[in-house]
Amino acid sequence: MNRKTLVLLAVVGLLAPVLAACGGSGSGDGGGDPIVVGTTDRFTASKAAPAPLDPAYAYDVGLWNILRQTVQTLMIMPKGDGDPIPEAAERCRFTDSGNERYACTLRAGLTFANGDPVTAADVKYSIDRARSIKADSGVAGLLSTIDTVETQGDREVIFHLNTADATFPYKLSTPVAGIVNPKDYPKDKLRTGFQVDGSGPYTMKPEVENNELVRAVFTKNPNYKGSLKLNNDKVEIRSFADADAMGAALDKGDIDLMTRTMTPEQIRKLSNAGDGPVDLVESPSLEIRYLAFNTDAPTVKSKAVRRAIAQLVNRNELVSKVYGTQAEPLYSLVPASITGHSNSFFNTYGDPSVTKAKALLQSAGITTPVKLTLHYTTDHYGAAMQREFEVLKEQLDSSGLFDVSIQGTPWTEYRPAQQKGEYEVYGMGWFPDFPDADNFLAPFLDKDNFLNSPYSNDEIRDQLIPQSRRQANRLAASPSLTEIQDIVAEDVPVLPLWQGKQYVAARDDITGTAYTLNSTSALQLWELGRGVSG
């Protein structure tokens, strides 16, 4: 086989209803060696985050990719993207015209992996538990539009919403809505450690060293009933300290596939290589990167300072120097491929301009150069993040208007410090919970937001977000969504930088790589199989 880059077009999403129709638990590849997947995601239990894999706490793409294999949700995203389809549910639908009452019927005979029946009461318990614990990760915000959860018999669950929410089916496909067994998950506290139990397609055995999950072994759940067809009986996820170690393991054949996060250099090398045993698969991604501001911090409390930074950042140069063709400049929190996107930052600031930035600071009486520290995490979004922040520093310093320092911190320290408001300006990435514009706006701007940001805009929270959620036709929500993006460009509580692509590198006897990751970077291990190399 020629080593090549396989590019998956966004049109794949149009095939989703047909592909999803296969359904059923299916059968694996008949046993044999497990398929081994490498990742640089780190899974650590700490004093600040002692329960990383509890669905009521986890709010990170890597952690969710463990949970998606094991904890079943009422709905699930189809393999080629599109609208969510029933998973633990047999059917779900809005039962009113205002999108405020959503009813689901569970599949008959549904059980947890240990054989215990899954009932409507378990669904209610799981949802109410996540809402009442309200973990500091912010994940419970996805369930904020729920007023009450009602059950009728063992199989009927009815969600009464406190406001119209056309995106609610998507939210029921996320791990925070995962169904857990009350025997395993206490009602009023998180389940610490790395044990995960559910009714999903796999059971999981963790291998832990020094409070870190280094290997997760997924074995086909014989009691699974759902929409997924499993193409294997066993898969392992191995966590590596860095991309170079992961790449070396793939070259040696110690792993079969690597996903998050390869370096730009690795991707370029694989793209340009000829014949060989490894194929590179490129697929659409909704990953974004952005700068966030603690709007209470003295250095950036003035909107003029934040606007001046927005006026100076050169996205084209940043992407070119660091990521090349692997990313694209982004001028809104909402990616260009999502309905409701608007290039609000470009419309507001145009091309980078030192003259305009200087005028913004002068008109606000800001003394220059403004001293700032830009913070980034060293081990969560890939090795290129340091270079990205070096370029941002160069751009701001070269204007003469800023005097910038950069500081890198491991994720286990970085995330708690960020949530406590210890950073004035910091870099973050976002892998959406679901592919809708609402999920690129509300998590940063609504109450109890993911960033724990002090920024608050009443028009966004009380009028525009609720207005947008009333529209089942998402194109009809565009006016509200555009207005939100325009306000963000004016106030700059966050500054979008770029939108990425995603890649999988796999040995050429591995099948199903085209669907290993969907556009939200959800890992679909059940799609992988072992075929014939050649």
Side-chain angles (χ1 to χ4, degrees):
M1 176 182 284
N2 289 328
R3 183 187 290 175
K4 56 189 178 294
T5 302
L6 305 175
V7 181
L8 303 181
L9 301 178
V11 74
V12 163
L14 300 176
L15 302 177
V18 176
L19 296 168
C22 296
S25 62
S27 60
D29 58 5
D33 294 333
I35 296 170
V36 184
V37 177
T39 181
T40 59
D41 286 327
R42 311 304 293 271
F43 313 102
T44 304
S46 64
K47 185 177 180 180
L53 290 178
D54 191 316
Y57 174 84
Y59 203 11
D60 170 86
V61 65
L63 298 173
W64 274 17
N65 281 338
I66 299 290
L67 292 175
R68 290 184 193 277
Q69 322 307 316
T70 49
V71 179
Q72 200 172 19
T73 48
L74 290 170
M75 304 290 283
I76 196 169
M77 296 302 298
K79 63 192 295 183
D81 288 337
D83 294 333
I85 60 173
E87 167 58 354
E90 180 180 277
R91 60 183 178 273
C92 290
R93 65 188 180 93
F94 282 107
T95 60
D96 66 332
S97 59
N99 295 332
E100 294 182 0
R101 187 179 188 273
Y102 196 75
C104 293
T105 302
L106 290 176
R107 293 178 185 269
L110 198 66
T111 67
F112 291 106
N114 68 357
D116 289 350
V118 176
T119 68
D122 296 320
V123 177
K124 174 177 169 59
Y125 177 91
S126 303
I127 299 290
D128 286 346
R129 174 179 180 268
R131 294 169 62 218
S132 63
I133 289 176
K134 202 173 184 180
D136 59 10
S137 64
V139 71
L142 285 168
L143 307 176
S144 63
T145 57
I146 297 174
D147 184 20
T148 58
V149 184
E150 175 190 356
T151 63
Q152 293 183 359
D154 286 340
R155 294 177 57 200
E156 301 293 328
V157 186
I158 301 169
F159 298 92
H160 299 277
L161 307 184
N162 51 39
T163 185
D165 187 1
T167 70
F168 190 67
Y170 287 103
K171 294 171 180 176
L172 289 183
S173 73
T174 63
V176 69
I179 307 166
V180 299
N181 193 330
K183 294 180 180 179
D184 299 318
Y185 292 82
K187 181 178 181 179
D188 57 356
K189 64 179 181 179
L190 295 171
R191 182 183 183 182
T192 59
F194 294 99
Q195 292 295 330
V196 181
D197 295 281
S199 56
Y202 297 97
T203 60
M204 192 275 281
K205 181 179 179 180
E207 183 177 315
V208 179
E209 296 178 2
N210 299 319
N211 292 320
E212 185 169 352
L213 179 67
V214 295
R215 183 192 308 240
V217 181
F218 298 94
T219 303
K220 182 181 176 181
N221 173 13
N223 293 325
Y224 169 69
K225 291 185 178 180
S227 63
L228 303 174
K229 177 182 181 296
L230 276 66
N231 294 318
N232 58 69
D233 292 326
K234 184 176 284 188
V235 188
E236 294 181 12
I237 291 180
R238 293 185 191 173
S239 177
F240 289 86
D242 54 55
D244 289 338
M246 179 172 65
L250 183 67
D251 290 340
K252 289 189 294 184
D254 292 340
I255 63 175
D256 298 294
L257 179 148
M258 62 180 182
T259 56
R260 294 170 24 88
T261 302
M262 289 179 268
T263 66
E265 292 74 22
Q266 285 175 320
I267 294 168
R268 281 193 287 268
K269 181 179 177 181
L270 287 167
S271 296
N272 296 328
D275 279 354
V278 175
D279 295 323
L280 183 69
V281 179
E282 175 191 310
S283 58
S285 172
L286 297 176
E287 173 192 3
I288 68 168
R289 293 286 176 83
Y290 59 95
L291 287 179
F293 298 88
N294 177 357
T295 54
D296 280 349
T299 50
V300 293
K301 189 170 186 177
S302 169
K303 183 167 68 173
V305 174
R306 306 193 301 270
R307 285 175 58 84
I309 294 172
Q311 186 66 72
L312 290 171
V313 168
N314 188 329
R315 294 169 178 81
N316 287 312
E317 180 186 60
L318 177 67
V319 168
S320 175
K321 284 187 174 182
V322 183
Y323 298 101
T325 60
Q326 299 160 31
E328 297 176 351
L330 182 64
Y331 295 90
S332 169
L333 283 172
V334 180
S337 54
I338 293 289
T339 299
H341 164 81
S342 173
N343 283 320
S344 296
F345 273 84
F346 187 82
N347 296 340
T348 302
Y349 299 98
D351 293 325
S353 169
V354 174
T355 301
K356 291 180 180 179
K358 184 176 182 180
L360 285 167
L361 295 172
Q362 284 182 337
S363 64
I366 305 294
T367 302
T368 58
V370 178
K371 289 191 174 183
L372 288 178
T373 300
L374 306 185
H375 294 266
Y376 68 94
T377 177
T378 57
D379 59 355
H380 194 67
Y381 298 119
M385 202 165 190
Q386 178 178 342
R387 177 57 182 151
E388 180 176 337
F389 273 68
E390 289 171 350
V391 173
L392 288 170
K393 170 180 165 57
E394 292 167 4
Q395 291 181 356
L396 296 177
D397 283 351
S398 65
S399 71
L401 302 175
F402 290 90
D403 180 4
V404 172
S405 300
I406 58 175
Q407 177 66 52
T409 307
W411 182 252
T412 53
E413 301 172 27
Y414 184 85
R415 176 65 167 142
Q418 173 268 308
Q419 288 177 304
K420 293 175 184 175
E422 295 178 8
Y423 300 150
E424 51 192 349
V425 190
Y426 53 95
M428 294 287 283
W430 182 248
F431 299 85
D433 310 318
F434 51 87
D436 186 274
D438 177 87
N439 194 241
F440 292 89
L441 299 171
F444 312 109
L445 305 170
D446 211 350
K447 301 179 184 70
D448 301 319
N449 60 74
F450 166 72
L451 296 174
N452 197 26
S453 170
Y455 173 78
S456 177
N457 183 288
D458 291 342
E459 184 179 6
I460 289 176
R461 292 184 178 182
D462 300 336
Q463 300 178 37
L464 297 174
I465 289 177
Q467 283 175 15
S468 71
R469 288 174 174 168
R470 293 189 189 105
Q471 302 294 337
N473 179 344
R474 302 310 286 157
L475 185 60
S478 291
S480 299
L481 297 170
T482 297
E483 194 167 349
I484 294 171
Q485 292 167 81
D486 289 345
I487 293 172
V488 170
E490 172 67 25
D491 290 352
V492 201
V494 289
L495 178 62
L497 298 173
W498 55 263
Q499 175 180 349
K501 301 174 184 177
Q502 61 185 355
Y503 300 85
V504 170
R507 303 192 72 83
D508 60 9
D509 64 332
I510 300 301
T511 62
T513 55
Y515 295 106
T516 306
L517 295 170
N518 68 13
S519 66
T520 64
S521 298
L523 190 60
Q524 302 174 138
L525 294 181
W526 50 85
E527 296 293 343
L528 297 175
R530 197 179 294 278
V532 178
S533 178

